[in-house]
Amino acid sequence: MRLIPRALCGAARAAWRESFPLGGHAVARWFPGHMAKGLKKMQSSLKLVDCIIEVHDARISFGGCGVGFIIIPMVTELIGSSYRYHRGESLEYCIMVIGVPNVGKSSLINSLRRQHLRKAPFCPAGKATRVGGEPGITRAVMSRIQVCERPLMFLLDTPGVLAPRIESVETGLKLALCGTVLDHLVGEETLADYLLYTLNQHELFGYVQHYGLGEACDDIVSVLKRVAVKLGKTQKVKVLTGTGDVNVIQPNYPAAARDFLRTFRSGLLGPVMLDRDTLQSHPSAGAQGHRPAQTDP
């Protein structure tokens, strides 16, 4: 990705926001019935598993990092060196996969199955578990899915679950940007505005090149207008004037916001860590020099 010369954004940067206005934004609680039901089923299934894999999104990785594919040897070593209690005589391993909605649990299971079994998944759709780009695809704990023969290993897919209460509006916005909350609960233009603010704060100006904007901008209305015009996402609107109705071409701001969000989520704007400031301020960040791993969306 080409870098934008600072001269292109230097003049306007003096007027950029130093903080995102959180007042007036309320992240709706998204803890529907299937989440509560899923939690209960997960809890009742714990006695059947040897290990739990928690999948994190590298974009909001504070508290965990993306899961790579050294997973089978790592799990085998972990279980082999641990006391298995009532599962001690079982020759098979069973692992539960958990995480927030839309984090990629089902994709992980399908990838491991393809990598280690080297055969087509068993469901008619061509994949062991259904995957999707919005939260809530996996609604219940599924049957055990075999992912390896030596050792014999099964994984349990689970529904994505959020905490019943999101700790802050900004945390909710980060979660929503990564697709763990349905966009319409927060507002697509609100999410696009927070994304624009974050990209500018982190000096990540890939959106300028991607949309051919010419320069960075901190005004979401201006950005979405130019995005809509460039993509042809406009609409005719009748405006009543003193001389009668007049058709006016207006930008389709919601459509432009959706494209902006989709572009970010598909990785076309490059790697973006929304928790970067939080991670850098954490006491262990400097000592460990740790950089969270990236996983494909």
Side-chain angles (χ1 to χ4, degrees), residues 17-20 192-201 218:
R17 295 166 290 182
E18 295 183 0
S19 62
F20 188 79
D193 191 17
Y194 183 70
L195 173 58
L196 177 66
Y197 163 78
T198 301
L199 293 175
N200 287 336
Q201 287 293 309
D218 197 39

Side-chain angles (χ1 to χ4, degrees), residues 78-125:
L78 178 63
I79 297 176
S81 61
S82 303
Y83 184 63
R84 299 181 69 196
Y85 299 95
H86 62 284
R87 290 184 53 80
E89 296 182 0
S90 177
L91 300 179
E92 64 183 38
Y93 296 163
C94 186
I95 293 89
M96 180 182 289
V97 181
I98 66 173
V100 298
N102 202 31
V103 75
K105 300 180 296 297
S106 299
S107 296
L108 171 65
I109 291 176
N110 288 324
S111 296
L112 290 174
R113 183 175 169 82
R114 288 192 300 267
Q115 180 181 6
H116 293 281
L117 294 183
R118 300 186 183 280
K119 61 182 180 180
F122 54 76
C123 85

Side-chain angles (χ1 to χ4, degrees), residues 31-245:
F31 197 81
H34 80 270
M35 281 195 181
K37 182 179 179 181
L39 270 179
K40 291 181 180 179
K41 286 189 175 182
M42 290 162 63
Q43 291 170 344
S44 65
S45 300
L46 287 177
K47 61 180 178 294
L48 304 176
V49 303
D50 298 293
C51 180
I52 295 177
I53 295 177
E54 183 175 0
V55 184
H56 284 243
D57 191 316
R59 295 168 298 185
I60 45 175
S61 58
F62 188 67
C65 55
V67 178
F69 299 106
I70 56 171
I71 292 179
I72 298 298
M74 180 174 60
V75 168
T76 301
E77 180 181 356
L78 178 63
I79 297 176
S81 61
S82 303
Y83 184 63
R84 299 181 69 196
Y85 299 95
H86 62 284
R87 290 184 53 80
E89 296 182 0
S90 177
L91 300 179
E92 64 183 38
Y93 296 163
C94 186
I95 293 89
M96 180 182 289
V97 181
I98 66 173
V100 298
N102 202 31
V103 75
K105 300 180 296 297
S106 299
S107 296
L108 171 65
I109 291 176
N110 288 324
S111 296
L112 290 174
R113 183 175 169 82
R114 288 192 300 267
Q115 180 181 6
H116 293 281
L117 294 183
R118 300 186 183 280
K119 61 182 180 180
F122 54 76
C123 85
K127 293 183 178 179
T129 63
R130 181 184 170 202
V131 297
E134 64 181 45
I137 291 297
T138 306
R139 290 295 180 106
V141 177
M142 301 182 64
S143 302
R144 299 190 312 167
I145 302 170
Q146 184 179 356
V147 295
C148 188
E149 291 183 349
R150 296 182 180 180
L152 183 59
M153 187 176 296
F154 296 86
L155 264 62
L156 291 178
D157 197 8
T158 63
V161 175
L162 289 171
R165 293 180 182 273
I166 297 176
E167 63 182 28
S168 69
V169 174
E170 188 161 17
T171 296
L173 290 173
K174 292 177 180 180
L175 288 168
L177 272 182
C178 294
T180 66
V181 178
L182 291 173
D183 290 346
H184 74 268
L185 294 178
V186 182
E188 292 164 334
E189 293 178 51
T190 296
L191 287 175
D193 191 17
Y194 183 70
L195 173 58
L196 177 66
Y197 163 78
T198 301
L199 293 175
N200 287 336
Q201 287 293 309
H202 294 178
E203 298 186 358
L204 300 173
F205 304 119
Y207 70 93
V208 178
Q209 283 111 339
H210 181 80
Y211 290 110
L213 302 183
E215 64 179 2
C217 178
D218 197 39
D219 177 49
I220 189 60
V221 174
S222 177
V223 170
L224 293 183
K225 180 179 180 179
R226 286 185 278 176
V227 169
V229 171
K230 179 177 179 61
L231 300 179
K233 297 182 181 296
T234 57
Q235 53 192 354
K236 289 184 179 180
V237 179
K238 286 187 177 181
V239 178
L240 180 62
T241 67
T243 58
D245 292 345

